[in-house]
Amino acid sequence: MHKSRSITLDHGAGGSAMRKLIEDCFVSRFKGLELQKLNDAAKLNVTGAEIAVSTDSYVVQPLVFPGGDVGKLAVCGTVNDLLVMGALPRWLSIAMIIEEGLPLETLEALCDSIAQTAFDAGVEIVTGDTKVVPHGQCDELFINTTGIGTVPLGSGLSRQPIAAGDAVIVSGTLGDHAAAILAARGGFSFAHSVQSDCAALVNMVSSVLHSHDGVKWMRDATRGGVAAVLEELALSNCCAVTISEDALPIEPETRSLCELLGFDPLHLANEGKIVMIVDRKQAEQIVQTLRATRDGRNAAQVGEISSTDFAVLLLETSAGGTRRLHRPTGELLPRIC
């Protein structure tokens, strides 16, 4: 009798097939002691620390793309959300909504990716959930991850207010994740070398926060790109942010793809890049600390807080002009993360 190697509705029905899927596919790979108990909730031991919690869902297509996959993305995205709050990521939950018919080999490969990424990031997967829906009612696989971290990581974020003259730093080349997804979907041959920047930035952020106390604000520049996070910074802190087009680190292939399709690299999603606002006196040293790490090797100071009297995001162009920059309107590229 042929044994199905695809997900069936039985795998989500709460019976023996579901139990076997959880044990064979998830628990055997994720290995966490708390997860192995298969309780309804994980008990976590935290003493005397502030807690940071973040949750996000991942629906990217294709499931596997140059430089990553949805499993790696689901771990990295939530880990990075904790890091930018000055928290050390410690625990993670994984919830999956799986479409009937997904090849079991695909799910196993993605779980291997989740396990390796979590191990590399130093986070323990402590609980999770599995749902299987009939064919056509979701697109292969959706993943939700919730992360918990303890604060502070190193010296944490500075309590000093954002001030005129503070430096704007990006941790590396911009738009690579979106460019990789575009290349994977569109088959642009000249962009075959573009890789997603999908990465858990534990080592990079930890290096900075253990060496410097002048980091005032951080965000990971995912959907909406650098323009979205910097405009949000300007509006929420009533400050003017000025960045230089010439200072922006952008890979040639990403730039070519943007020119072909009419995208602004500042609007494209990243999954392994952070924007920092730092004390100007420490900016150069922080850039050097970033560049000493694998994920921050292309870090650059790209601008400054030019005023704290009004809220605006400005771009000094390569042509010598200045224009106002906004976050993108509408969805540039659906299902990107």
Side-chain angles (χ1 to χ4, degrees):
M1 181 177 177
H2 175 71
K3 185 178 180 181
S4 171
R5 287 288 292 169
S6 297
I7 294 295
T8 70
L9 292 177
D10 287 344
H11 286 118
S16 58
M18 182 172 176
R19 175 82 181 198
K20 183 171 174 51
L21 177 72
I22 290 171
E23 291 180 340
D24 293 352
C25 193
F26 304 143
V27 176
S28 68
R29 287 175 169 79
F30 301 161
K31 300 184 184 302
L33 295 177
E34 192 65 27
L35 181 67
Q36 291 176 27
K37 298 174 184 176
L38 294 180
N39 289 331
D40 286 349
K43 289 183 176 179
L44 308 175
N45 186 12
V46 180
T47 303
E50 186 180 359
I51 296 297
V53 181
S54 181
T55 190
D56 208 342
S57 298
Y58 300 87
V59 298
V60 67
Q61 269 291 349
L63 295 181
V64 180
F65 47 83
D69 56 62
V70 67
K72 180 180 180 182
L73 183 64
V75 175
C76 294
T78 297
V79 163
N80 292 342
D81 283 343
L82 294 170
L83 287 169
V84 297
M85 298 306 295
L88 174 65
R90 298 186 61 182
W91 300 289
L92 208 62
S93 76
I94 303 276
M96 296 189 178
I97 300 175
I98 311 169
E99 183 184 23
E100 177 190 17
L102 181 74
L104 197 53
E105 290 82 358
T106 299
L107 184 62
E108 290 170 342
L110 293 172
C111 286
D112 284 337
S113 180
I114 289 171
Q116 186 62 54
T117 307
F119 176 80
D120 292 344
V123 294
E124 179 183 356
I125 298 170
V126 293
T127 190
D129 185 47
T130 307
K131 294 290 187 298
V132 178
V133 298
H135 179 69
Q137 295 190 11
C138 88
D139 191 358
E140 297 191 295
L141 177 66
F142 297 157
I143 301 178
N144 173 272
T145 50
T146 297
I148 299 175
T150 50
V151 180
L153 169 59
S155 58
L157 297 178
S158 169
R159 296 183 181 276
Q160 295 299 313
I162 290 173
D166 285 344
V168 181
I169 292 173
V170 296
S171 65
T173 53
L174 306 179
D176 295 337
H177 176 69
I181 298 296
L182 279 166
R185 291 179 184 172
F188 301 103
S189 58
F190 68 88
H192 67 278
S193 62
V194 176
Q195 300 281 308
S196 168
D197 58 353
C198 179
L201 304 173
V202 177
N203 181 58
M204 186 188 80
V205 175
S206 180
S207 294
V208 171
L209 294 184
H210 277 96
S211 304
H212 307 280
D213 62 3
V215 179
K216 297 183 176 182
W217 181 92
M218 289 191 287
R219 288 291 183 276
D220 53 340
T222 56
R223 283 175 299 170
V226 169
V229 297
L230 286 180
E231 188 180 58
E232 183 64 32
L233 166 73
L235 294 174
S236 59
N237 290 273
C238 191
C239 62
V241 183
T242 302
I243 58 176
S244 168
E245 188 172 25
D246 288 337
L248 299 173
I250 300 171
E251 293 286 0
E253 294 84 358
T254 300
R255 189 182 298 279
S256 297
L257 204 61
C258 287
E259 291 174 351
L260 177 67
L261 300 176
F263 289 140
D264 186 335
L266 290 166
H267 288 161
L268 295 186
N270 311 271
E271 290 295 342
K273 300 294 161 42
I274 283 177
V275 181
M276 296 179 172
I277 305 300
V278 309
D279 188 313
R280 61 179 172 180
K281 296 177 183 176
Q282 297 186 30
E284 184 175 343
Q285 294 94 330
I286 289 175
V287 169
Q288 293 307 316
T289 299
L290 287 165
R291 288 179 176 172
T293 67
R294 180 193 61 187
D295 295 312
R297 60 189 180 279
N298 293 312
Q301 180 177 342
V302 300
E304 65 173 8
I305 303 298
S306 46
S307 173
T308 54
D309 296 329
F310 53 93
V312 68
L313 173 60
L314 299 172
L315 177 70
E316 293 178 340
T317 69
S318 299
T322 301
R323 67 179 174 89
R324 189 165 182 175
L325 189 64
H326 296 280
R327 70 184 71 195
T329 57
E331 183 66 87
L332 291 181
L333 190 63
R335 306 283 302 276
I336 194 157
C337 61

